[in-house]
Amino acid sequence: HSFPTRRSSDLYKVAHYSRLISLQMGFSEIEAENLKIASILHDIGKIAIPDKILLKPGKLTNEEFNLIKSHAEVGYEILKDSKKDILQLAAKIALEHHEKYDGTGYPRGIMSSELSLEGRIVALADVFDALSSERVYKKPWPMEDILNYLDSQRGKQFDSRSEERRVGKECQRSC
């Protein structure tokens, strides 16, 4: 399978946003750079998903959506046995980047207290990128709509204490 749903520039945008968010949350330069590098692999599990599903412009069936959701665990399995710290971080991020603060995410449906801060940061960066970018199935959202969505998801998809609106505006200015 190729990896057509994202150009490499899109993966680097998530990495860039992740770095910005982590710095705003008090990470050191080294920690932020490590997160940036590890976050590039957050969707590596999509290598196991057929292109016809990844590129489907219409609504996915339940079966197709469940297959798409499996990419988080597949990515974790690919990376988890590495002895390299950066790949261990990447494995954790791959597994957690679709989990939600309130426990309604996937693949494990766990609450925020069980999620790493790095996984939560990449989840926010990934959502920001998904909303602000064109995909085969959608046009990019206007920035104000993105910021309103991020606000509406506090305590649900994202940490109730985080400052998604400020993060979104910073990502807008820096990209």
Side-chain angles (χ1 to χ4, degrees):
H1 298 285
S2 60
F3 198 61
T5 58
R6 288 205 167 158
R7 296 178 310 272
S8 62
S9 62
D10 293 331
L11 296 172
Y12 286 105
K13 285 190 327 188
V14 171
H16 176 72
Y17 299 150
S18 296
R19 182 179 181 280
L20 285 175
I21 295 165
S22 64
L23 287 170
Q24 289 182 6
M25 296 183 81
F27 281 44
S28 71
E29 282 289 335
I30 292 171
E31 291 167 329
E33 193 61 26
N34 285 340
L35 178 59
K36 177 182 174 182
I37 293 165
S39 70
I40 292 170
L41 297 173
H42 74 279
D43 272 343
I44 194 166
K46 285 186 177 177
I47 198 167
I49 311 299
D51 291 351
K52 68 179 183 177
I53 296 174
L54 290 175
L55 295 172
K56 185 175 179 179
K59 185 170 173 55
L60 298 173
T61 66
N62 287 339
E63 182 180 321
E64 291 167 334
F65 185 59
N66 286 333
L67 189 56
I68 290 273
K69 291 190 322 185
S70 73
H71 84 276
E73 289 175 311
V74 170
Y76 174 76
E77 290 297 322
I78 290 169
L79 299 165
K80 71 177 177 138
D81 293 327
S82 174
K83 304 295 183 234
K84 302 286 185 190
D85 290 344
I86 198 83
L87 293 179
Q88 284 295 307
L89 177 58
K92 179 172 36 174
I93 289 166
L95 184 62
E96 294 181 352
H97 76 281
H98 285 292
E99 297 290 357
K100 295 182 180 180
Y101 184 80
D102 65 2
T104 62
Y106 66 85
R108 299 177 295 162
I110 58 177
M111 300 289 289
S112 65
S113 60
E114 300 175 65
L115 297 172
S116 69
L117 182 55
E118 295 90 351
R120 292 180 3 226
I121 288 170
V122 175
L124 175 56
D126 193 36
V127 168
F128 182 85
D129 178 58
L131 297 177
S132 63
S133 301
E134 186 168 351
R135 298 285 192 256
V136 294
Y137 54 86
K138 69 167 227 23
K139 298 284 186 201
W141 287 21
M143 185 55 60
E144 193 58 33
D145 291 350
I146 294 170
L147 298 176
N148 288 336
Y149 176 79
L150 296 176
D151 280 343
S152 76
Q153 293 302 302
R154 281 193 192 145
K156 299 174 192 167
Q157 188 167 358
F158 308 114
D159 189 327
S160 59
R161 299 163 294 164
S162 62
E163 300 178 48
E164 285 82 12
R165 178 170 281 272
R166 183 172 60 86
V167 166
K169 286 182 179 177
E170 181 64 30
C171 288
Q172 178 186 21
R173 275 194 300 276
S174 301
C175 302

